[in-house]
């Protein structure tokens, strides 16, 4: 089955700096890669996703890059703000596979 | 749109009791997934259901756990004879199907504590 590894497990940055979180996956059949943000006591919220036919996607301060050859994808947050502090999860799944495999999460702390 | 609704939000059970967790998917969504999150860990897939069908239960323990998504009403995750190791947050997610089956919207979760 699919295996997703996520690094780092914790990340602390100063407000205004950039944050990068990286994930690798094992199953070459995976072709959908979402990122979720989970705040304390809440469910994961989809913040951005990318499909395998695209190498990069951007939404305001958030971007995701995908390298299918190397089987890794990354989340980039620019101009970080304290409200970006949360746990971020990457995931991988195949089209219509019906289930996603999640990384173990990265706790991001943005210091004011 | 009320989103994915889960209840109860918090549930306390003693060892040996039963826990029932309910999930109503988003309007227009016909696929339901259950994930378990242990403290300070990631989400682990348990089961994937469509109305009246279990599509994939490869992540669900073989004993004590069951799930259903009846024609009418919410999806239910049932844990019989709970043990302390069942203490976790249980998240339900839903998606449209079949073309967007893996685009998930999560509920706020049900936090089970077993005493």
């Amino acid at each position: 089955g699919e295996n997703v590894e996520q690094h780092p497990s914790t990340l602390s940055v100063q407000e205004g700096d950039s944050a990068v979180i990286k994930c690798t996956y094992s199953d070459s059949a995976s072709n959908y890669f979402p990122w979720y943000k989970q705040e304390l006591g809440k469910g994961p919220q989809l913040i951005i996703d990318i499909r395998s036919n695209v190498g990069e996607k951007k939404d305001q301060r958030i971007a995701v890059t995908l390298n299918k050859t190397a089987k890794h994808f990354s989340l980039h947050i620019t101009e970080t703000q304290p409200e970006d502090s949360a746990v971020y999860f990457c995931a991988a799944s195949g089209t219509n596979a019906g289930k996603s495999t999640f990384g173990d999460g990265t706790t991001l702390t943005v210091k004011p | 749109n009320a989103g994915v609704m889960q209840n109860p939000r918090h549930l306390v059970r003693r060892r040996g009791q039963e826990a029932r967790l309910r999930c109503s998917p988003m309007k227009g969504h016909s696929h339901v997934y259950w994930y378990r999150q242990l403290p300070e860990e990631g989400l682990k897939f348990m089961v994937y259901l469509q109305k009246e069908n279990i599509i994939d239960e490869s992540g669900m323990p073989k004993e004590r756990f069951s799930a259903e998504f009846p024609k009418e009403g919410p999806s239910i995750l049932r844990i019989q004879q709970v043990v302390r190791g069942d203490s976790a947050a249980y998240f339900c997610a839903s998606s449209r199907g079949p073309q967007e089956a893996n685009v998930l919207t999560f509920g706020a979760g049900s936090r089970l504590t077993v005493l």
Side-chain angles (χ1 to χ4, degrees):
Chain A
E2 176 65 277
N3 182 48
V4 176
E5 295 192 357
Q6 183 172 347
H7 300 280
S9 56
T10 59
L11 180 59
S12 182
V13 299
Q14 287 294 135
E15 182 177 2
D17 287 351
S18 294
V20 180
I21 303 170
K22 299 182 179 181
C23 288
T24 60
Y25 62 99
S26 61
D27 189 348
S28 56
S30 290
N31 56 11
Y32 176 67
F33 307 94
W35 286 88
Y36 295 87
K37 177 183 181 181
Q38 186 177 26
E39 295 175 322
L40 197 62
K42 297 184 179 180
Q45 262 196 312
L46 179 69
I47 56 171
I48 195 167
D49 56 10
I50 192 168
R51 296 191 182 272
S52 59
N53 57 348
V54 175
E56 183 174 357
K57 185 176 178 181
K58 192 172 181 182
D59 182 3
Q60 299 183 335
R61 296 186 296 109
I62 295 173
V64 57
T65 59
L66 171 64
N67 183 328
K68 279 214 76 179
T69 303
K71 295 199 191 77
H72 66 71
F73 55 113
S74 300
L75 176 71
H76 304 252
I77 306 174
T78 59
E79 300 172 24
T80 53
Q81 301 165 4
E83 50 265 39
D84 294 330
S85 296
V87 180
Y88 291 82
F89 292 97
C90 63
S93 69
T95 302
N96 301 330
K99 74 181 186 188
S100 294
T101 301
F102 283 75
D104 286 340
T106 296
T107 301
L108 174 64
T109 303
V110 180
K111 299 177 183 175
Chain B
N1 191 337
V4 177
M5 303 301 293
Q6 290 189 247
N7 67 84
R9 293 293 313 277
H10 300 275
L11 182 63
V12 179
R13 286 288 179 265
R14 297 192 179 279
R15 281 179 296 170
Q17 292 184 320
E18 179 179 289
R20 282 190 182 223
L21 310 177
R22 289 176 291 277
C23 169
S24 295
M26 275 185 70
K27 188 175 180 181
H29 285 191
S30 57
H31 298 231
V32 165
Y33 312 80
W34 287 93
Y35 284 81
R36 177 163 63 177
Q37 186 176 37
L38 295 170
E40 300 189 12
E41 290 190 12
L43 293 99
K44 304 299 181 190
F45 169 79
M46 298 181 75
V47 62
Y48 163 33
L49 311 104
Q50 295 178 26
K51 286 282 187 182
E52 300 184 281
N53 277 312
I54 296 175
I55 307 302
D56 183 346
E57 55 181 348
S58 58
M60 198 135 79
K62 299 288 183 233
E63 297 180 354
R64 303 188 298 108
F65 285 73
S66 62
E68 63 175 4
F69 189 15
K71 188 176 179 181
E72 301 291 338
S75 175
I76 295 174
L77 179 67
R78 182 183 179 204
I79 311 171
Q80 295 178 289
Q81 299 171 4
V82 296
V83 300
R84 289 216 174 112
D86 296 333
S87 295
Y90 292 84
F91 290 97
C92 171
S94 70
S95 69
R96 295 181 190 275
Q99 293 305 315
E100 295 182 29
N102 50 10
V103 182
L104 306 179
T105 300
F106 280 87
S110 292
R111 282 152 183 83
L112 172 65
T113 301
V114 179
L115 302 178

